């Protein structure tokens, strides 16, 4: 089969597009998927470069986002049939331990992110992949494979952050950093669908127009405006109810300044760095909440995809590339210049 693989870490020169990779066999409880579309994720870059302290099985096929058609079933698969059009929740776990049963698969000792920690030769950036049947979700009928591959994991991640963890409600005002990216564009649309208000932060005028078209209530440009001052103007000095964080070191301190007393910062990442100052006085006197959120359950994927089915949330595809142009995909992703997701078609 065709696929992109690498057998050592490094720059984009380690990526190999090949057509002689073996088609994987579905194991117990797994299905074989013919991938119709894969979407890129920052995990692709981390896996290619290598992460200190993490052991990646090599050779490696990246890809945490994917949609396709069920081609074959392994033993003991009862919930999926050959020919089903599906999308994958990329948070794999055992399904049986107490943490999985409790609904916290991220705490499962066998928790693995598809195409990142799995391997060798797993991930969606290939013609075929095997995935657990419990992670497979019916594709909403009104969306293409490209659209659902682009939106599914990002929307589920946003759902867990805002709905499950931060308990977003109608009328809340939410500051969204990096609003034009994959998770940012999903957040803006979900916030609107919930009857809450968003203050979207972007870094260029093109991106400002995109998030405004998606329904952002206020748009701020971090290059030309002072974010805390603008947020305080918009909220009449109260601060926002929730800050949607995934940037980390570059924005964290400002996030705490923009947050109202009793408000919540929820984060799912730190692309600009892992350490930030913390004024502990805010924690106790302002009784603020700092919450972590990691990926999402299959149930959260299903719940959030209902908003795609209803048309309230749409995929934002920044770039559609043939799989063999993987190097360009990595360059575009690393540059941060693409609004929305980069989708690869095998
Ligand atoms: Zn488990």
């Amino acid at each position: 089969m065709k696929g992109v693989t690498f057998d050592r870490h490094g720059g984009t020169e380690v990526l190999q597009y090949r057509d002689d990779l073996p088609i994987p066999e579905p194991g117990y409880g797994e299905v074989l998927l013919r991938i119709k579309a894969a979407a890129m994720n920052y995990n692709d870059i981390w896996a290619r470069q290598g992460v200190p302290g993490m052991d990646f099985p090599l050779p490696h096929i990246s890809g945490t986002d994917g949609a396709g058609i069920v081609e074959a079933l392994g033993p003991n698969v009862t919930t999926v049939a050959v020919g089903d059009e599906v999308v994958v929740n990329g948070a794999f776990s055992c399904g049986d331990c107490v943490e999985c049963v409790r609904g916290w698969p991220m705490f499962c000792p066998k928790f693995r992110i598809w195409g990142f920690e799995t391997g060798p030769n797993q991930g969606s950036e290939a013609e075929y992949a095997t995935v657990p049947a419990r992670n497979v979700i019916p594709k909403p009928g009104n969306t293409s494979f490209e659209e659902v591959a682009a939106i599914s994991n990002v929307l589920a991640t946003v759902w867990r952050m805002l709905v499950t963890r931060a308990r977003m409600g109608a009328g809340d005002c939410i500051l969204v950093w990096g609003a034009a990216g994959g998770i940012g564009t999903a957040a803006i649309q979900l916030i609107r669908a919930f009857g809450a208000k968003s203050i979207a932060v972007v870094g260029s005028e093109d991106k400002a127009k995109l998030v405004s078209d998606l329904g952002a209530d206020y748009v701020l440009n971090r290059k030309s405006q002072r974010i805390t001052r603008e947020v305080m103007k918009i909220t009449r000095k109260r601060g926002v109810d929730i800050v949607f964080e995934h940037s980390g070191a570059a924005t964290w301190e400002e996030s705490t300044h923009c947050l109202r007393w009793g408000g919540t910062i929820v984060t799912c990442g730190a692309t600009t760095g892992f350490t930030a100052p913390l004024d502990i006085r805010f924690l106790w006197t302002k009784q603020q909440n700092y919450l972590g959120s990691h990926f999402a359950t299959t149930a959260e994927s299903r719940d959030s995809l209902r908003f795609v089915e209803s048309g309230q949330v749409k995929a934002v595809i920044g770039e559609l590339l043939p799989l063999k142009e993987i190097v360009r995909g990595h360059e575009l992703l690393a540059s941060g210049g693409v609004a929305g997701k980069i989708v690869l078609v095998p």
Side-chain angles (χ1 to χ4, degrees), residues 91-93 99-100 103-111 160 296-298:
F92 295 177
S93 67
E99 301 299 350
C100 285
W104 289 83
M106 309 82 188
F107 298 168
C108 172
K110 293 190 175 159
F111 179 74
R160 184 172 183 84
T297 65
T298 302

Side-chain angles (χ1 to χ4, degrees), residues 42 45 207 328-338 342:
Y42 223 82
I45 291 178
K207 291 179 174 179
R328 181 161 159 71
H330 274 248
E331 287 166 355
L332 285 170
L333 185 61
S335 75
V338 176
I342 301 166

Side-chain angles (χ1 to χ4, degrees), residues 18-226:
R18 291 172 53 173
D19 59 7
D20 60 348
L21 296 167
I23 296 175
E25 291 270 324
Y28 191 84
E30 289 183 341
V31 302
L32 175 68
L33 214 57
R34 182 152 55 89
I35 304 288
K36 300 286 284 179
M40 294 192 72
N41 188 298
Y42 223 82
N43 286 344
D44 300 359
I45 291 178
W46 284 324
R48 190 200 76 218
Q49 292 176 337
V51 178
M54 270 189 81
D55 204 10
F56 292 91
L58 298 171
H60 186 96
I61 295 178
S62 287
T64 308
D65 306 73
I69 300 170
V70 176
E71 183 90 0
L73 307 179
N76 199 42
V77 173
T78 56
T79 53
V80 185
V82 170
D84 283 0
E85 298 188 343
V86 298
V87 60
V88 180
N89 169 284
F92 295 177
S93 67
C94 82
D96 295 321
C97 75
V98 67
E99 301 299 350
C100 285
V101 171
R102 210 197 299 274
W104 289 83
M106 309 82 188
F107 298 168
C108 172
K110 293 190 175 159
F111 179 74
R112 299 283 183 273
I113 294 179
W114 183 34
F116 184 56
E117 296 161 301
T118 52
N121 285 341
Q122 273 275 21
S124 61
E125 292 167 12
E127 259 183 304
Y128 294 92
T130 53
V131 297
R134 75 171 72 84
N135 285 75
V136 156
I137 304 154
K139 178 175 84 69
N142 57 342
T143 54
S144 67
F145 287 106
E146 289 84 354
E147 287 169 329
V148 79
I151 193 72
S152 175
N153 280 338
V154 285
L155 182 59
T157 301
V158 168
W159 181 279
R160 184 172 183 84
M161 290 173 76
L162 289 176
V163 181
T164 309
R165 298 288 282 145
R167 304 205 169 271
M168 163 174 72
D172 280 348
C173 185
I174 299 162
L175 179 66
V176 180
W177 292 106
I183 62 169
T185 51
I188 297 296
Q189 297 178 82
L190 193 64
I191 289 166
R192 186 183 172 87
F194 267 66
K197 289 206 177 308
S198 59
I199 303 175
V201 183
V202 296
S204 74
E205 287 312 307
D206 288 3
K207 291 179 174 179
K209 179 170 186 327
L210 170 76
V211 298
S212 184
D213 291 347
L214 289 172
D217 295 279
Y218 305 92
V219 183
L220 302 178
N221 186 329
R222 66 183 156 78
K223 290 187 179 152
S224 59
Q225 289 175 292
R226 283 165 57 191

